[in-house]
Every structure is written in structure tokens, then in C-alpha cells.
Amino acid sequence: MAPPRVPAGDLSKHEAAYRTLRQRILEGRYGPGYRLVLSGLARDLEVSPVPIREAIRRLEAEGLVTFERNVGARVATLTDDAWEELVEMLALLDGYAVRQAQPMLTPEILAEAEQINAALRRQLTGGIDNEAVMALHRRFHRLIYSRAANTYLVDALDQVWDRIDASRVLVSLYPAKRLASAVDEHDELLQRLRQERVNPSDLEQFARWHNLNAAVTIRNARGR
Amino acid sequence: MAPPRVPAGDLSKHEAAYRTLRQRILEGRYGPGYRLVLSGLARDLEVSPVPIREAIRRLEAEGLVTFERNVGARVATLTDDAWEELVEMLALLDGYAVRQAQPMLTPEILAEAEQINAALRRQLTGGIDNEAVMALHRRFHRLIYSRAANTYLVDALDQVWDRIDASRVLVSLYPAKRLASAVDEHDELLQRLRQERVNPSDLEQFARWHNLNAAVTIRNARGR
DNA sequence: CTCGAAGACATCGTATACGATCCGATCGTA
DNA sequence: TACGATCGGATCGTATACGATGTCTTCGAG
């Protein structure tokens, strides 16, 4: 009997490096601007610099890392304007995804979404843990948009969320007041999603508007 | 006096390889499924396999190339469904981009767009050169959407168009009847864009609808 | 003290080498 | 003939080596 083609944990080294680096960036261990020195990472991950370079190239193509010739790689840093543009993309994509996902949503999914939103609401009374809020918020949205049929759309949304996570902006800037509104808007979204005969275009517009609200709030929080 | 930092034509080898390969894919010299053998390309481009690998990784991250471990790289092939999903993305992104670009469009830009559309219309009477039609069609749309303020949006549109070009689907399947409709729709789009007080939401919907028409037509041309 | 040049160091960029893996052809056996 | 094992070539995956480039520090002149 032949052994399994890929014994589960056996990834190529560049693939493993890619996943490790990506994870470290997303969880904030490597924050924006952090310098990714090839030889250092190679030592750290116990591989040669070659697969590290490949991993970095992929991260670069995904926008999580910037690279300067003969200088090196850094975790991407977003200007305020760039951050707003990304959120605008999120709003555009998520709006359409919600519209497309709506017929696919089962009562179970909606119930789970309600659970997540309830956990978010609990953060309002207890102290707010921004990391937890961001994770819950992302989970809430992904639960819905991931049901959209268009796989490119879902992938694009995942990627945009990754970049927003990597920027660490929301983690530091999400104000309690916005969270309160967001939780209410989530409830309204769920309510609309439960209706059979909801107007798809209205639904898309509402979801888009909800996402854009975050951008507006952060812009104000930054003081214009 | 120090020499210029980057003497114009002096790209790193992986960058040069990336551009060369990308171009060859987009112009159809390497069609869908074409096998990209690292050592062969290295010989061809007169570099070592290492920078070729980096170039391929970037192309892979952009979706132009698929890669299989220990097997190698191929130019990406789109299933019919995947192709339709990509066009749907195009419609979503382009619709919003047109809406955002509208206030930035000068009479000069609109005149140029009209020129391009006139060239498209000429293809209807003379024999149709599909390569030329595709290039003109893309130029027409890019002229408009590239004025959108959101750079991520513009980049995403460029990328989706690249993938569609690389798939060579439109080149072989664009029927004359659809071209006639498309040219008319372009005219209507330009007419709407010229109005100062056009409703942004209507504009977006119209542009989205126009792009989706292509998908519907091709689906029918393929015989469901 | 300030400025600029020169050198040392850190790091990147690519070539080369070689082991690992896969695929297809060959050969033997039922 | 049909099937499966074995072998060989093609190709990938990664380590190592070293030259090229950029950056920082030091040192000397003004």
C-alpha cells in the first residue's frame, strides 16, 4: 500500500514559512513596519533563505508585505487614506456578498451569527478587549459572506480583511460608541436576512452602508 | 557625481522575468495550460532558476499561474463557472468604479472614449479581429475606471482583466451580435456620464448590468 | 562643531549543486 | 493480453556560496 501522498503535516518549506509568517503578521507579532530580514527569518525557522524569499514574495503579492530592492522586506504600513480605501473595498465586496449569500443562509447560520453578535454586545458591558472585538467582528461577517457562491468574491474579502487585520488600525482605534452602533446594525442586518422577500438591492445597500460606517467613525476618531 | 540609482532598464532579474512571463501569458503566447518549466524558462531568459521561481510565485499569487508541488507550474485554466465568476467580479468592481470616476471625467476623456468606441463599431462592418476587439474593449473601460479615486479598486480591476485576458475566452467566443449590443451600451454609458446630475446609484447599476451582459452572452454561446 | 568622504558591516540577489519526488516507459509474470 | 513492479529521466526543492548593493559609522578637513 502506498503511503498517503501528503502525510498531513508535510508541507514544503516555503509553504510552511509562508503560513508561519502570515500568521505572525495577522496576530500582530510582526506589526506594520517590522523589518523582515531574510537571513534572520531563515535562522529562526531553520531553513535556508531561498524558501523564505518565496514566502515573502507571496506575502508581497497579497499586500501584507512591502519589498524594496536591495533593502529588504517590511510588514506593510497603511496610510490613513489607504486604510479608508481598503475599507471602502470591503464595503463594496461585502455588500454584494451578503446579497448573494442571503438565499443560502439557514436558520442555524443566522442563529450562530446572533450568538457572535451577542458576544460582541457583552463586550460593551464588561471591559472592551479590542483584540477579541476584532476577531468576533470578523467572524460575524465571514459567517455570512462566506456563503456567497462566487469564490473569487469570498477570497477577495478574506484578503481585504487580512490586510485590515495586519494594519492593526481597528485594534487601536475602535471606539466603544462605534461598537454599540455596529452591534445594533448587525441585529438589523440579521433581521433583514431572515425575511424571505427582502429586496436584494436594498440588502446590498444596507450592508455596504454598515461597513462604510466603520470608516467614517475611524476617520473622525483620528481627528480628520 | 553618483550614477542614477536605477539606470532605467536595470531591473532585478526576477522582476524582468516576472514582466516577461506575464506579458507572454497576457498576449497568448503561453496559453491556458501551457507548462512553465523552471529550468527551461531559465535557459530561455538566460538566468538561473532561482529568480524564475520568484517570478512564478508572484504570477501564482495573481492567479495567472497554477502551481503543483513537485510537478510544476502551468498557465491557469478557467472552468466555465470560474470564468463567469470572474466576470461577475468585474461587473461589481467596474460598476462601482464608474460611479466613483464620473465626477473626474473631463470632456477630453469622454471624447477619447468615444473614439475608442467608434473604432469598435468599425470592427462590426469590416471583418472582426477578435484580438483587436478585446484590446479596444479593455481600453475603453480602463480609460473610465482608472479615474476612480480608490487605487485598490483600480488595481483589482486591472488584475481581473488580466486574468480574463489570460484565459483567452473572449478572444475565441465573442460573437458579433454581442459586440453590436456592447457598442450601443457603451454609447449609452457615455451619454449618462456626460450628464452632470446623473444618479450615482443608477450609473453603478447600469455599468454593472452592461458587464454582466457579456457573461450571459458567452454562457449562451457555450450552449449552457 | 559641521559636513562630507571612506570604510566596514549587514543584507540582498543569483548561480550552482545535489538530493527528493514524480511520471512514464519497460519488463516480467499470471 | 492485462496487470503490476521496477527503473530511468525529467523536474522540482533547498542548501550553500559569493558577489553586489545599501546603510551606518568613523574619521578627517574645513
Short mmCIF file of all heavy atoms in Angstrom, two decimals, chain B residues 17-41:
data_model
loop_
_atom_site.label_atom_id
_atom_site.label_comp_id
_atom_site.label_asym_id
_atom_site.label_seq_id
_atom_site.Cartn_x
_atom_site.Cartn_y
_atom_site.Cartn_z
N ALA B 17 12.10 38.82 -15.28
CA ALA B 17 11.47 37.55 -15.64
C ALA B 17 9.96 37.64 -15.42
O ALA B 17 9.17 37.20 -16.26
CB ALA B 17 12.05 36.42 -14.78
N TYR B 18 9.57 38.24 -14.30
CA TYR B 18 8.16 38.39 -13.99
C TYR B 18 7.43 39.14 -15.12
O TYR B 18 6.40 38.70 -15.62
CB TYR B 18 8.01 39.13 -12.67
CG TYR B 18 6.64 39.67 -12.41
CD1 TYR B 18 5.60 38.82 -12.04
CD2 TYR B 18 6.37 41.03 -12.55
CE1 TYR B 18 4.34 39.31 -11.81
CE2 TYR B 18 5.10 41.53 -12.32
CZ TYR B 18 4.09 40.68 -11.96
OH TYR B 18 2.85 41.17 -11.74
N ARG B 19 8.01 40.24 -15.53
CA ARG B 19 7.35 41.03 -16.57
C ARG B 19 7.28 40.29 -17.89
O ARG B 19 6.26 40.31 -18.58
CB ARG B 19 8.09 42.35 -16.77
CG ARG B 19 8.07 43.20 -15.52
CD ARG B 19 8.55 44.59 -15.80
NE ARG B 19 8.67 45.34 -14.53
CZ ARG B 19 8.87 46.62 -14.45
NH1 ARG B 19 8.99 47.34 -15.55
NH2 ARG B 19 8.95 47.23 -13.29
N THR B 20 8.38 39.64 -18.23
CA THR B 20 8.40 38.91 -19.49
C THR B 20 7.35 37.80 -19.50
O THR B 20 6.55 37.68 -20.44
CB THR B 20 9.78 38.30 -19.72
OG1 THR B 20 10.76 39.35 -19.72
CG2 THR B 20 9.84 37.56 -21.04
N LEU B 21 7.34 37.01 -18.44
CA LEU B 21 6.40 35.90 -18.40
C LEU B 21 4.97 36.41 -18.41
O LEU B 21 4.11 35.88 -19.13
CB LEU B 21 6.65 35.05 -17.14
CG LEU B 21 8.00 34.32 -17.12
CD1 LEU B 21 8.17 33.58 -15.81
CD2 LEU B 21 8.09 33.35 -18.29
N ARG B 22 4.72 37.44 -17.61
CA ARG B 22 3.38 37.99 -17.53
C ARG B 22 2.91 38.43 -18.91
O ARG B 22 1.80 38.11 -19.36
CB ARG B 22 3.39 39.16 -16.55
CG ARG B 22 2.06 39.79 -16.32
CD ARG B 22 2.12 40.70 -15.10
NE ARG B 22 0.92 41.51 -15.01
CZ ARG B 22 0.69 42.55 -15.79
NH1 ARG B 22 1.57 42.89 -16.70
NH2 ARG B 22 -0.42 43.24 -15.66
N GLN B 23 3.78 39.15 -19.59
CA GLN B 23 3.42 39.63 -20.92
C GLN B 23 3.10 38.47 -21.86
O GLN B 23 2.10 38.50 -22.59
CB GLN B 23 4.58 40.45 -21.47
CG GLN B 23 4.42 40.79 -22.94
CD GLN B 23 4.62 42.26 -23.19
OE1 GLN B 23 5.34 42.93 -22.47
NE2 GLN B 23 3.95 42.79 -24.19
N ARG B 24 3.95 37.47 -21.82
CA ARG B 24 3.74 36.34 -22.74
C ARG B 24 2.42 35.63 -22.45
O ARG B 24 1.78 35.11 -23.36
CB ARG B 24 4.91 35.36 -22.63
CG ARG B 24 6.19 35.92 -23.22
CD ARG B 24 7.33 34.92 -23.18
NE ARG B 24 8.55 35.53 -23.70
CZ ARG B 24 9.72 34.91 -23.77
NH1 ARG B 24 9.83 33.66 -23.35
NH2 ARG B 24 10.78 35.53 -24.24
N ILE B 25 2.06 35.59 -21.20
CA ILE B 25 0.78 34.97 -20.86
C ILE B 25 -0.38 35.83 -21.37
O ILE B 25 -1.33 35.34 -21.98
CB ILE B 25 0.67 34.76 -19.34
CG1 ILE B 25 1.68 33.70 -18.89
CG2 ILE B 25 -0.75 34.35 -18.95
CD1 ILE B 25 1.82 33.59 -17.38
N LEU B 26 -0.29 37.13 -21.13
CA LEU B 26 -1.39 38.01 -21.50
C LEU B 26 -1.59 38.08 -23.00
O LEU B 26 -2.72 38.16 -23.49
CB LEU B 26 -1.17 39.41 -20.94
CG LEU B 26 -1.20 39.51 -19.42
CD1 LEU B 26 -1.06 40.94 -18.97
CD2 LEU B 26 -2.49 38.91 -18.87
N GLU B 27 -0.53 38.03 -23.75
CA GLU B 27 -0.69 38.14 -25.19
C GLU B 27 -1.00 36.79 -25.82
O GLU B 27 -1.19 36.70 -27.03
CB GLU B 27 0.55 38.77 -25.83
CG GLU B 27 1.78 37.87 -25.85
CD GLU B 27 3.04 38.67 -26.23
OE1 GLU B 27 2.95 39.92 -26.28
OE2 GLU B 27 4.06 38.06 -26.50
N GLY B 28 -1.04 35.74 -24.99
CA GLY B 28 -1.49 34.46 -25.50
C GLY B 28 -0.38 33.55 -26.02
O GLY B 28 -0.64 32.44 -26.46
N ARG B 29 0.84 34.04 -25.95
CA ARG B 29 1.96 33.20 -26.42
C ARG B 29 2.06 31.95 -25.54
O ARG B 29 2.36 30.86 -26.03
CB ARG B 29 3.24 34.02 -26.35
CG ARG B 29 4.48 33.27 -26.72
CD ARG B 29 5.58 34.28 -27.05
NE ARG B 29 6.90 33.69 -26.99
CZ ARG B 29 8.03 34.39 -27.02
NH1 ARG B 29 7.95 35.72 -27.09
NH2 ARG B 29 9.20 33.81 -26.97
N TYR B 30 1.84 32.12 -24.27
CA TYR B 30 1.68 30.97 -23.37
C TYR B 30 0.20 30.88 -23.03
O TYR B 30 -0.30 31.65 -22.20
CB TYR B 30 2.48 31.15 -22.08
CG TYR B 30 3.99 31.24 -22.25
CD1 TYR B 30 4.76 31.87 -21.28
CD2 TYR B 30 4.64 30.69 -23.35
CE1 TYR B 30 6.14 31.96 -21.41
CE2 TYR B 30 6.01 30.78 -23.49
CZ TYR B 30 6.76 31.42 -22.52
OH TYR B 30 8.12 31.51 -22.64
N GLY B 31 -0.51 29.97 -23.66
CA GLY B 31 -1.94 29.87 -23.44
C GLY B 31 -2.27 29.09 -22.18
O GLY B 31 -1.39 28.54 -21.53
N PRO B 32 -3.57 29.02 -21.83
CA PRO B 32 -4.00 28.28 -20.65
C PRO B 32 -3.50 26.84 -20.70
O PRO B 32 -3.59 26.19 -21.76
CB PRO B 32 -5.52 28.34 -20.72
CG PRO B 32 -5.81 29.56 -21.51
CD PRO B 32 -4.70 29.68 -22.50
N GLY B 33 -2.95 26.36 -19.60
CA GLY B 33 -2.46 25.00 -19.53
C GLY B 33 -1.01 24.85 -19.95
O GLY B 33 -0.40 23.82 -19.71
N TYR B 34 -0.45 25.88 -20.56
CA TYR B 34 0.94 25.81 -21.00
C TYR B 34 1.84 25.54 -19.82
O TYR B 34 1.73 26.17 -18.78
CB TYR B 34 1.33 27.12 -21.68
CG TYR B 34 2.73 27.13 -22.25
CD1 TYR B 34 2.98 26.77 -23.56
CD2 TYR B 34 3.81 27.53 -21.46
CE1 TYR B 34 4.26 26.78 -24.08
CE2 TYR B 34 5.10 27.54 -21.96
CZ TYR B 34 5.32 27.17 -23.28
OH TYR B 34 6.59 27.19 -23.78
N ARG B 35 2.72 24.61 -20.01
CA ARG B 35 3.59 24.21 -18.91
C ARG B 35 4.80 25.12 -18.80
O ARG B 35 5.54 25.30 -19.76
CB ARG B 35 4.03 22.76 -19.14
CG ARG B 35 4.82 22.22 -18.03
CD ARG B 35 4.36 20.84 -17.58
NE ARG B 35 5.18 20.47 -16.44
CZ ARG B 35 5.96 19.39 -16.42
NH1 ARG B 35 5.99 18.58 -17.43
NH2 ARG B 35 6.69 19.14 -15.36
N LEU B 36 4.99 25.68 -17.63
CA LEU B 36 6.11 26.59 -17.38
C LEU B 36 7.20 25.85 -16.63
O LEU B 36 7.18 25.76 -15.41
CB LEU B 36 5.63 27.81 -16.58
CG LEU B 36 4.54 28.65 -17.26
CD1 LEU B 36 3.88 29.58 -16.26
CD2 LEU B 36 5.12 29.44 -18.42
N VAL B 37 8.12 25.30 -17.36
CA VAL B 37 9.20 24.53 -16.74
C VAL B 37 10.32 25.47 -16.31
O VAL B 37 10.86 26.23 -17.12
CB VAL B 37 9.75 23.48 -17.73
CG1 VAL B 37 10.91 22.73 -17.10
CG2 VAL B 37 8.65 22.54 -18.17
N LEU B 38 10.64 25.41 -15.03
CA LEU B 38 11.57 26.39 -14.48
C LEU B 38 12.90 26.38 -15.22
O LEU B 38 13.41 27.43 -15.62
CB LEU B 38 11.79 26.10 -12.99
CG LEU B 38 10.52 26.19 -12.14
CD1 LEU B 38 10.87 26.00 -10.66
CD2 LEU B 38 9.84 27.53 -12.34
N SER B 39 13.48 25.20 -15.35
CA SER B 39 14.82 25.15 -15.94
C SER B 39 14.77 25.62 -17.40
O SER B 39 15.69 26.29 -17.87
CB SER B 39 15.39 23.74 -15.83
OG SER B 39 14.46 22.81 -16.37
N GLY B 40 13.71 25.26 -18.09
CA GLY B 40 13.57 25.69 -19.48
C GLY B 40 13.48 27.19 -19.60
O GLY B 40 14.17 27.82 -20.41
N LEU B 41 12.62 27.80 -18.77
CA LEU B 41 12.50 29.24 -18.78
C LEU B 41 13.81 29.91 -18.40
O LEU B 41 14.19 30.94 -18.95
CB LEU B 41 11.40 29.68 -17.81
CG LEU B 41 9.98 29.22 -18.16
CD1 LEU B 41 9.02 29.56 -17.05
CD2 LEU B 41 9.53 29.87 -19.46
#
